[in-house]
Every structure is written in structure tokens, then in C-alpha cells.
Coordinates of all heavy atoms in Angstrom, one line a residue:
M1 N 194.3 -58.3 72.1 CA 195.7 -58.4 72.1 C 196.4 -57.0 71.8 O 196.1 -56.3 70.9 CB 196.1 -59.4 70.8 CG 197.6 -59.7 70.8 SD 197.9 -60.6 69.2 CE 196.9 -62.0 69.3
M2 N 197.4 -56.8 72.7 CA 198.1 -55.4 72.4 C 199.0 -55.6 71.4 O 199.6 -56.7 71.1 CB 198.7 -55.0 73.7 CG 197.7 -54.9 74.9 SD 196.4 -53.7 74.6 CE 197.3 -52.2 74.5
L3 N 199.3 -54.5 70.7 CA 200.3 -54.4 69.6 C 201.6 -53.8 70.0 O 201.5 -53.0 70.8 CB 199.6 -53.7 68.4 CG 198.4 -54.3 67.7 CD1 197.8 -53.4 66.7 CD2 199.0 -55.6 66.9
P4 N 202.6 -54.1 69.3 CA 203.9 -53.5 69.7 C 204.0 -52.1 69.2 O 203.1 -51.6 68.3 CB 205.0 -54.4 68.9 CG 204.1 -55.0 67.7 CD 202.8 -55.3 68.3
E5 N 205.0 -51.3 69.6 CA 205.1 -49.8 69.3 C 205.1 -49.7 67.8 O 204.6 -48.6 67.2 CB 206.3 -49.3 69.8 CG 206.0 -48.8 71.3 CD 205.0 -47.7 71.3 OE1 205.3 -46.7 70.7 OE2 204.1 -47.8 72.0
N6 N 205.7 -50.6 67.1 CA 205.9 -50.2 65.6 C 204.7 -50.9 64.7 O 204.9 -51.2 63.6 CB 207.2 -51.1 65.0 CG 207.3 -52.6 65.3 OD1 206.2 -53.1 65.8 ND2 208.3 -53.2 64.9
A7 N 203.6 -51.1 65.4 CA 202.3 -51.5 64.7 C 202.0 -50.5 63.7 O 202.3 -49.3 63.7 CB 201.3 -51.8 65.7
G8 N 201.2 -51.0 62.7 CA 200.9 -50.1 61.5 C 199.7 -49.3 62.0 O 199.3 -49.0 63.2
L9 N 199.1 -48.5 61.0 CA 198.0 -47.6 61.3 C 196.7 -48.3 61.4 O 196.5 -49.5 60.9 CB 197.9 -46.7 60.0 CG 199.0 -45.6 60.0 CD1 198.7 -44.8 58.7 CD2 199.0 -44.7 61.2
C10 N 195.9 -47.8 62.1 CA 194.4 -48.3 62.2 C 193.8 -48.6 60.8 O 193.9 -47.8 59.9 CB 193.6 -47.2 62.9 SG 191.8 -47.5 62.9
S11 N 193.2 -49.8 60.7 CA 192.7 -50.1 59.4 C 191.3 -49.7 59.2 O 190.7 -49.9 58.1 CB 192.8 -51.6 59.2 OG 192.2 -52.3 60.2
V12 N 190.7 -49.0 60.2 CA 189.3 -48.4 60.1 C 189.4 -47.0 59.6 O 189.0 -46.7 58.6 CB 188.5 -48.5 61.5 CG1 187.2 -47.7 61.3 CG2 188.4 -50.0 61.8
C13 N 190.2 -46.1 60.3 CA 190.4 -44.8 60.0 C 191.5 -44.4 59.1 O 191.6 -43.5 58.4 CB 190.2 -43.9 61.2 SG 191.6 -44.1 62.3
G14 N 192.6 -45.3 59.3 CA 193.8 -45.2 58.5 C 194.7 -43.9 58.9 O 195.5 -43.5 58.3
K15 N 194.3 -43.3 60.1 CA 195.0 -42.1 60.4 C 195.8 -42.2 61.8 O 196.9 -41.7 61.9 CB 194.0 -41.0 60.6 CG 193.3 -40.6 59.3 CD 192.2 -39.6 59.6 CE 191.4 -39.3 58.3 NZ 190.0 -38.6 58.7
K16 N 195.2 -43.0 62.7 CA 195.9 -43.2 64.0 C 196.5 -44.4 64.1 O 196.3 -45.4 63.4 CB 194.9 -43.0 65.1 CG 194.2 -41.6 65.0 CD 193.4 -41.3 66.4 CE 194.3 -41.2 67.5 NZ 193.8 -40.7 68.7
K17 N 197.5 -44.5 65.0 CA 198.3 -45.8 65.2 C 197.4 -46.9 65.8 O 196.7 -46.5 66.8 CB 199.5 -45.5 66.2 CG 200.5 -46.6 66.2 CD 201.8 -46.1 66.8 CE 201.7 -45.7 68.2 NZ 201.6 -46.7 69.2
A18 N 197.6 -48.1 65.2 CA 196.6 -49.2 65.8 C 197.4 -49.5 67.2 O 198.7 -49.7 67.3 CB 196.8 -50.4 64.8
V19 N 196.5 -49.8 68.1 CA 196.9 -50.1 69.4 C 196.5 -51.5 69.9 O 196.9 -52.0 70.9 CB 196.5 -49.1 70.5 CG1 197.2 -47.8 70.3 CG2 195.0 -48.8 70.5
I20 N 195.5 -52.0 69.2 CA 194.9 -53.2 69.6 C 194.3 -54.0 68.5 O 194.1 -53.4 67.4 CB 193.8 -53.0 70.7 CG1 193.6 -54.3 71.6 CG2 192.5 -52.4 70.1 CD1 192.8 -53.9 72.9
L21 N 194.2 -55.3 68.5 CA 193.6 -56.1 67.4 C 192.2 -56.4 67.7 O 191.8 -56.8 68.8 CB 194.4 -57.4 67.2 CG 195.8 -57.2 66.6 CD1 196.4 -58.6 66.6 CD2 195.8 -56.5 65.3
C22 N 191.3 -56.4 66.6 CA 190.0 -56.8 66.8 C 189.9 -58.3 67.1 O 190.6 -59.1 66.5 CB 189.2 -56.6 65.4 SG 187.6 -57.3 65.3
D23 N 189.0 -58.8 68.0 CA 188.9 -60.1 68.4 C 188.2 -60.9 67.3 O 188.4 -62.2 67.3 CB 188.2 -60.2 69.7 CG 189.0 -60.0 71.0 OD1 190.2 -60.1 70.8 OD2 188.4 -59.7 72.0
G24 N 187.5 -60.2 66.3 CA 186.8 -61.0 65.3 C 187.6 -61.2 64.0 O 187.7 -62.2 63.6
C25 N 188.3 -60.2 63.7 CA 189.0 -60.3 62.4 C 190.5 -60.0 62.4 O 191.2 -60.0 61.5 CB 188.4 -59.3 61.3 SG 188.4 -57.6 61.7
N26 N 191.0 -59.7 63.6 CA 192.4 -59.4 63.8 C 192.9 -58.2 63.2 O 194.1 -58.1 62.9 CB 193.3 -60.6 63.4 CG 193.3 -61.7 64.7 OD1 192.9 -61.3 65.8 ND2 193.6 -62.9 64.4
T27 N 192.1 -57.3 62.8 CA 192.5 -56.1 62.2 C 193.0 -55.1 63.2 O 192.4 -55.1 64.3 CB 191.4 -55.4 61.2 OG1 192.0 -54.6 60.4 CG2 190.3 -54.8 62.0
G28 N 193.9 -54.3 62.8 CA 194.5 -53.3 63.8 C 193.5 -52.1 64.0 O 193.1 -51.6 63.1
L29 N 193.3 -51.7 65.3 CA 192.4 -50.6 65.6 C 193.2 -49.7 66.5 O 193.9 -49.9 67.3 CB 191.2 -51.2 66.3 CG 190.4 -52.3 65.7 CD1 189.4 -52.9 66.6 CD2 189.7 -51.7 64.5
C30 N 192.8 -48.3 66.2 CA 193.3 -47.3 67.0 C 192.4 -47.1 68.3 O 191.3 -47.8 68.3 CB 193.5 -46.0 66.3 SG 191.8 -45.1 65.9
E31 N 192.8 -46.2 69.2 CA 192.0 -46.0 70.4 C 190.6 -45.5 70.1 O 189.7 -45.7 70.9 CB 192.8 -45.0 71.4 CG 194.0 -45.7 72.0 CD 194.8 -44.6 72.7 OE1 194.5 -43.5 72.6 OE2 195.7 -45.1 73.5
E32 N 190.4 -44.8 69.1 CA 189.2 -44.3 68.7 C 188.2 -45.2 68.0 O 186.9 -45.1 68.1 CB 189.3 -43.0 67.9 CG 189.8 -41.8 68.8 CD 190.1 -40.6 68.0 OE1 189.5 -40.4 67.0 OE2 190.9 -39.7 68.5
C33 N 188.8 -46.1 67.3 CA 187.9 -46.9 66.4 C 187.6 -48.3 67.1 O 186.7 -49.0 66.7 CB 188.7 -47.3 65.1 SG 188.7 -45.8 64.1
R34 N 188.3 -48.6 68.1 CA 188.0 -50.0 68.9 C 186.7 -49.7 69.6 O 186.3 -48.7 70.1 CB 189.1 -50.2 69.8 CG 189.3 -49.4 71.0 CD 190.4 -49.6 71.8 NE 190.6 -48.4 72.8 CZ 191.6 -48.5 73.7 NH1 192.4 -49.5 73.7 NH2 191.7 -47.5 74.5
K35 N 186.0 -50.8 69.7 CA 184.8 -50.9 70.4 C 184.9 -52.1 71.3 O 185.0 -53.1 71.0 CB 183.5 -51.0 69.5 CG 183.3 -49.9 68.6 CD 182.3 -50.2 67.4 CE 180.8 -50.3 68.0 NZ 180.4 -48.9 68.2
F36 N 184.6 -51.7 72.7 CA 184.6 -52.7 73.7 C 183.3 -53.4 74.0 O 182.2 -52.6 73.9 CB 185.1 -52.2 75.0 CG 186.6 -51.8 75.1 CD1 187.0 -50.5 75.1 CD2 187.4 -52.8 75.1 CE1 188.3 -50.2 75.1 CE2 188.9 -52.5 75.2 CZ 189.3 -51.2 75.1
D37 N 183.3 -54.6 74.3 CA 182.0 -55.2 74.7 C 182.3 -56.2 75.8 O 183.4 -56.6 75.9 CB 181.3 -56.0 73.5 CG 179.8 -56.2 73.7 OD1 179.1 -55.4 74.5 OD2 179.2 -57.2 73.3
L38 N 181.3 -56.4 76.8 CA 181.5 -57.2 77.9 C 180.7 -58.5 77.5 O 179.4 -58.4 77.2 CB 181.1 -56.5 79.1 CG 181.9 -55.4 79.6 CD1 181.3 -54.9 80.8 CD2 183.4 -55.9 79.8
W39 N 181.2 -59.7 77.6 CA 180.6 -60.9 77.5 C 180.5 -61.6 78.7 O 181.4 -62.0 79.4 CB 181.2 -61.9 76.5 CG 181.3 -61.4 75.0 CD1 180.8 -60.2 74.5 CD2 181.5 -62.2 73.9 NE1 180.9 -60.1 73.2 CE2 181.4 -61.5 72.8 CE3 181.9 -63.5 73.7 CZ2 181.6 -61.9 71.5 CZ3 182.2 -64.0 72.4 CH2 182.0 -63.2 71.3
G40 N 179.1 -61.8 79.3 CA 179.0 -62.3 80.5 C 178.7 -63.8 80.4 O 178.1 -64.2 79.4
Y41 N 179.1 -64.6 81.3 CA 178.9 -66.1 81.3 C 178.0 -66.4 82.6 O 178.0 -65.7 83.6 CB 180.2 -66.9 81.4 CG 181.0 -66.6 80.1 CD1 182.0 -65.4 80.1 CD2 180.8 -67.3 78.9 CE1 182.7 -65.3 79.0 CE2 181.5 -67.0 77.8 CZ 182.4 -66.1 77.8 OH 183.2 -65.7 76.6
G42 N 177.5 -67.5 82.5 CA 176.5 -68.0 83.6 C 177.1 -67.9 85.0 O 176.4 -67.7 85.9
C43 N 178.4 -68.2 85.0 CA 179.0 -68.4 86.4 C 179.4 -66.9 86.8 O 179.9 -66.9 88.0 CB 180.3 -69.2 86.3 SG 181.4 -68.6 85.0
G44 N 179.1 -65.8 86.2 CA 179.4 -64.5 86.8 C 180.7 -64.0 86.2 O 181.0 -62.9 86.4
H45 N 181.4 -64.9 85.4 CA 182.6 -64.4 84.9 C 182.3 -63.4 83.6 O 181.4 -63.7 82.9 CB 183.5 -65.6 84.3 CG 184.6 -65.3 83.5 ND1 185.7 -64.8 84.2 CD2 185.0 -65.2 82.2 CE1 186.7 -64.6 83.3 NE2 186.2 -64.8 82.1
V46 N 183.0 -62.4 83.5 CA 182.8 -61.4 82.4 C 184.0 -61.2 81.7 O 185.1 -61.0 82.3 CB 182.2 -60.0 83.0 CG1 182.1 -59.0 81.8 CG2 180.9 -60.3 83.6
D47 N 184.0 -61.3 80.3 CA 185.2 -61.2 79.5 C 185.1 -59.9 78.7 O 184.0 -59.6 78.1 CB 185.2 -62.4 78.5 CG 186.4 -63.1 78.4 OD1 187.3 -62.7 79.3 OD2 186.6 -63.9 77.6
T48 N 186.1 -59.2 78.6 CA 186.2 -58.0 77.7 C 186.6 -58.3 76.3 O 187.7 -59.0 76.3 CB 187.1 -56.8 78.3 OG1 186.7 -56.7 79.7 CG2 187.1 -55.7 77.6
R49 N 185.8 -58.0 75.3 CA 186.1 -58.3 74.0 C 186.4 -56.9 73.4 O 185.8 -55.8 73.6 CB 185.1 -58.9 73.2 CG 184.7 -60.3 73.8 CD 185.7 -61.3 73.3 NE 185.6 -62.6 74.1 CZ 186.1 -63.7 73.7 NH1 186.7 -63.8 72.5 NH2 186.1 -64.7 74.5
V50 N 187.2 -56.9 72.2 CA 187.5 -55.7 71.6 C 187.1 -56.0 70.0 O 187.6 -57.1 69.5 CB 188.9 -55.2 71.6 CG1 189.2 -54.0 70.8 CG2 189.3 -55.2 73.0
F51 N 186.3 -55.1 69.4 CA 186.0 -55.4 68.1 C 186.1 -54.1 67.1 O 186.1 -53.0 67.7 CB 184.5 -55.8 68.0 CG 184.1 -57.0 68.6 CD1 183.5 -57.1 69.9 CD2 184.6 -58.3 68.0 CE1 183.1 -58.3 70.4 CE2 184.3 -59.5 68.6 CZ 183.6 -59.5 69.8
C52 N 186.2 -54.3 66.0 CA 186.0 -53.2 65.0 C 184.7 -52.9 64.9 O 183.8 -53.8 65.1 CB 186.8 -53.6 63.6 SG 186.1 -54.8 62.6
P53 N 184.3 -51.8 64.3 CA 182.8 -51.5 64.1 C 182.0 -52.6 63.4 O 180.8 -52.9 63.7 CB 182.7 -50.1 63.6 CG 184.1 -49.4 63.8 CD 185.1 -50.6 63.8
A54 N 182.6 -53.1 62.3 CA 181.9 -54.1 61.6 C 181.7 -55.3 62.3 O 180.6 -56.0 62.3 CB 182.7 -54.4 60.3
C55 N 182.8 -55.9 63.0 CA 182.5 -57.1 63.8 C 181.7 -56.8 65.0 O 180.8 -57.8 65.4 CB 183.9 -57.6 64.3 SG 184.9 -58.2 63.0
F56 N 181.7 -55.6 65.5 CA 180.8 -55.3 66.7 C 179.3 -55.6 66.4 O 178.5 -56.0 67.2 CB 180.9 -53.9 67.3 CG 180.3 -53.6 68.4 CD1 180.9 -53.9 69.6 CD2 179.1 -52.9 68.4 CE1 180.2 -53.5 70.9 CE2 178.4 -52.7 69.6 CZ 178.8 -53.1 70.7
D57 N 178.9 -55.2 65.1 CA 177.5 -55.3 64.7 C 177.2 -56.6 64.1 O 176.1 -56.9 63.6 CB 177.2 -54.2 63.7 CG 177.2 -52.8 64.4 OD1 176.9 -52.7 65.6 OD2 177.3 -51.8 63.7
D58 N 178.3 -57.5 63.9 CA 178.0 -58.8 63.3 C 177.7 -59.8 64.3 O 178.4 -60.3 65.1 CB 179.3 -59.3 62.6 CG 179.1 -60.5 61.7 OD1 178.1 -61.3 61.9 OD2 179.7 -60.6 60.7
I59 N 176.3 -60.4 64.2 CA 175.9 -61.2 65.2 C 176.6 -62.6 65.2 O 176.6 -63.3 66.3 CB 174.3 -61.4 65.1 CG1 173.8 -61.9 66.4 CG2 174.1 -62.3 63.9 CD1 172.2 -61.7 66.4
N60 N 177.1 -62.9 64.1 CA 177.9 -64.2 64.0 C 179.2 -64.1 64.9 O 179.8 -65.0 65.3 CB 178.2 -64.6 62.6 CG 176.9 -64.9 61.9 OD1 176.1 -65.6 62.4 ND2 176.7 -64.4 60.7
I61 N 179.7 -62.9 64.9 CA 181.1 -62.6 65.6 C 180.7 -62.3 67.0 O 181.4 -62.6 68.0 CB 181.9 -61.7 64.8 CG1 182.3 -62.2 63.5 CG2 183.1 -61.3 65.7 CD1 182.9 -61.2 62.5
N62 N 179.8 -61.4 67.1 CA 179.4 -60.8 68.6 C 178.0 -61.0 68.9 O 177.2 -60.2 68.7 CB 179.8 -59.3 68.5 CG 179.4 -58.6 69.9 OD1 179.3 -59.3 70.8 ND2 179.6 -57.3 69.9
P63 N 177.6 -62.2 69.3 CA 176.3 -62.6 69.5 C 175.7 -61.8 70.7 O 174.4 -61.8 70.7 CB 176.4 -64.1 69.9 CG 177.7 -64.4 70.3 CD 178.5 -63.4 69.6
Y64 N 176.5 -61.2 71.5 CA 175.9 -60.3 72.6 C 175.3 -59.1 72.1 O 174.2 -58.5 72.6 CB 177.0 -60.1 73.7 CG 177.1 -61.4 74.6 CD1 177.9 -62.4 74.0 CD2 176.4 -61.5 75.7 CE1 178.1 -63.6 74.7 CE2 176.5 -62.8 76.4 CZ 177.4 -63.7 75.9 OH 177.5 -64.9 76.8
S65 N 176.0 -58.3 71.3 CA 175.5 -57.0 70.9 C 175.4 -56.9 69.3 O 174.9 -55.8 68.9 CB 176.5 -55.9 71.3 OG 176.7 -55.9 72.7
G66 N 175.7 -57.9 68.6 CA 175.5 -57.9 67.1 C 174.0 -57.8 66.7 O 173.2 -58.1 67.5
K67 N 173.7 -57.4 65.6 CA 172.5 -57.2 64.9 C 172.2 -58.2 63.9 O 173.2 -58.4 63.0 CB 172.3 -55.8 64.5 CG 172.5 -54.7 65.6 CD 172.3 -53.4 64.9 CE 172.8 -52.2 65.8 NZ 174.3 -52.2 66.0
L68 N 171.1 -58.8 63.9 CA 170.8 -59.7 62.7 C 170.6 -58.8 61.5 O 170.2 -57.7 61.5 CB 169.3 -60.3 62.9 CG 169.3 -61.3 64.0 CD1 167.9 -61.8 64.3 CD2 170.1 -62.6 63.5
N69 N 171.2 -59.4 60.4 CA 171.2 -58.5 59.2 C 169.8 -58.9 58.6 O 169.5 -59.9 58.0 CB 172.4 -59.1 58.2 CG 172.4 -58.3 57.0 OD1 171.4 -57.5 56.7 ND2 173.4 -58.6 56.2
E70 N 169.0 -57.9 58.5 CA 167.5 -58.0 58.1 C 167.4 -58.0 56.6 O 166.3 -58.2 56.1 CB 166.6 -57.0 58.7 CG 166.6 -57.3 60.3 CD 166.0 -56.1 61.0 OE1 165.5 -55.1 60.4 OE2 165.8 -56.3 62.3
S71 N 168.4 -57.8 55.9 CA 168.4 -57.7 54.5 C 168.4 -59.0 53.8 O 168.3 -59.1 52.6 CB 169.5 -56.7 53.9 OG 170.7 -57.3 54.1
T72 N 168.8 -60.1 54.5 CA 168.9 -61.4 54.0 C 167.7 -62.1 54.2 O 167.1 -62.2 55.3 CB 170.2 -62.1 54.6 OG1 170.1 -62.1 56.0 CG2 171.4 -61.5 54.2
Ligands
ZN101 ZN1 191.0 -45.6 63.9
ZN102 ZN1 186.9 -56.9 63.2

């Protein structure tokens, strides 16, 4: 989801203007902190997802590229 011009600062680095929302937690992300992932479906359709670094690595939110938390 794109953000309006008056959106706040990126909630990851807190330095740059947020330009997009994380698909996992809806936090504002700047151009440098957002992470794109492509989710492919069986029919050949591919969806672009945008995540913050934490959600990108969370397998419950991003089952395509997330990592299992081996400490649990
Ligand atoms: Zn940032
Ligand atoms: Zn997130």
C-alpha cells in the first residue's frame, strides 16, 4: 500500500520518509528498509509483497522466504 506525502518516518531506521506499508504488520517503511518478495501461485500468477525486515524473516508471515525460528 502506498503512503501519502505526509506519511511519517520509516519505523525501521527512523531517518527516512516512509513510502510504503509492510504487508505483515502495516508499519511504515522507507525505500531502503522495505524488502520485496515474490509469492508464486500454482496457476503462474505472481504477487509482489512488501515486508519490513522482521516480517520478511518470519515464516508465519512470509512462508516463502521466512526462516523457522530454531530457538523455540
Ligand atoms: Zn528506513
Ligand atoms: Zn512488518
